[in-house]
């Protein structure tokens, strides 16, 4: 009817090992910068999508690595208000780092096997700063 524009996105990767889509709301508590990042996690069986439900900025901290996060690939990005992100399977990332209290819709895989591998960051802590 001309009131919106549909933007096609890549399909979420949620069905491995008997998985199914799970839609939930995360109520995030804002962090203050500087912040000492100590751990990262990854999901081997599915992607994870974060969509802020209000104008909540957040930090996305990611790294590559087959068996462990590779410190040389560690990157942090500011996701501005209203920006959603999808983290594909096997991408190391810090749990949600909202810069203010806020709610996020999260689409991820649910299934019979737990799909969250949590490890300490090599040479932790990694300091996240505003500059």
């Amino acid at each position: 009817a001309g009131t919106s524009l549909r933007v096609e996105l890549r399909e979420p990767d949620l069905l491995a090992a008997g998985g199914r889509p799970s839609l939930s709301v995360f109520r995030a508590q804002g962090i203050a910068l500087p912040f000492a990042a100590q751990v990262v996690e990854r999901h081997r069986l599915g992607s994870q999508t974060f969509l802020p439900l209000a104008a909540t900025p957040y930090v996305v901290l990611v790294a590559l690595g087959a068996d462990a996060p590779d410190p040389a690939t560690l990157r942090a990005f500011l996701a501005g208000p209203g920006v959603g992100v999808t983290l594909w399977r096997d991408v190391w990332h810090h749990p949600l780092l909202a810069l203010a209290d806020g709610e996020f819709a999260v689409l991820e895989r649910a299934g019979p096997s737990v799909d969250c591998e949590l490890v300490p960051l090599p040479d932790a802590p990694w300091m996240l700063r505003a500059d």
Side-chain angles (χ1 to χ4, degrees):
T3 60
S4 62
L5 172 66
R6 181 183 178 121
V7 178
E8 293 292 331
L9 303 174
R10 186 172 159 190
E11 288 188 16
D13 181 6
L14 306 172
L15 305 179
R20 66 187 188 287
S22 173
L23 180 62
S24 55
V25 173
F26 286 20
R27 290 195 170 115
Q29 294 178 329
I31 62 160
L33 296 178
F35 178 81
Q38 303 276 350
V39 299
V40 288
E41 64 182 41
R42 72 172 168 183
H43 308 281
R44 309 268 339 236
L45 300 175
S47 60
Q48 196 175 38
T49 299
F50 294 85
L51 301 166
L53 297 178
T56 306
Y58 57 108
V59 175
V60 180
L61 178 65
V62 294
L64 300 175
D67 298 318
D70 177 359
T73 67
L74 193 65
R75 300 289 184 272
F77 303 92
L78 175 63
V83 174
V85 298
T86 296
L87 301 167
W88 295 109
R89 69 165 74 188
D90 281 330
V91 173
W92 294 101
H93 61 280
H94 196 283
L96 183 58
L97 292 168
L99 295 175
D101 291 353
E103 294 185 337
F104 291 76
V106 179
L107 177 62
E108 61 188 333
R109 178 195 170 279
S113 56
V114 175
D115 184 31
C116 185
E117 182 180 351
L118 187 70
V119 300
L121 266 170
D123 304 321
W126 287 76
M127 296 304 294
L128 299 173
R129 296 179 186 1
D131 50 336

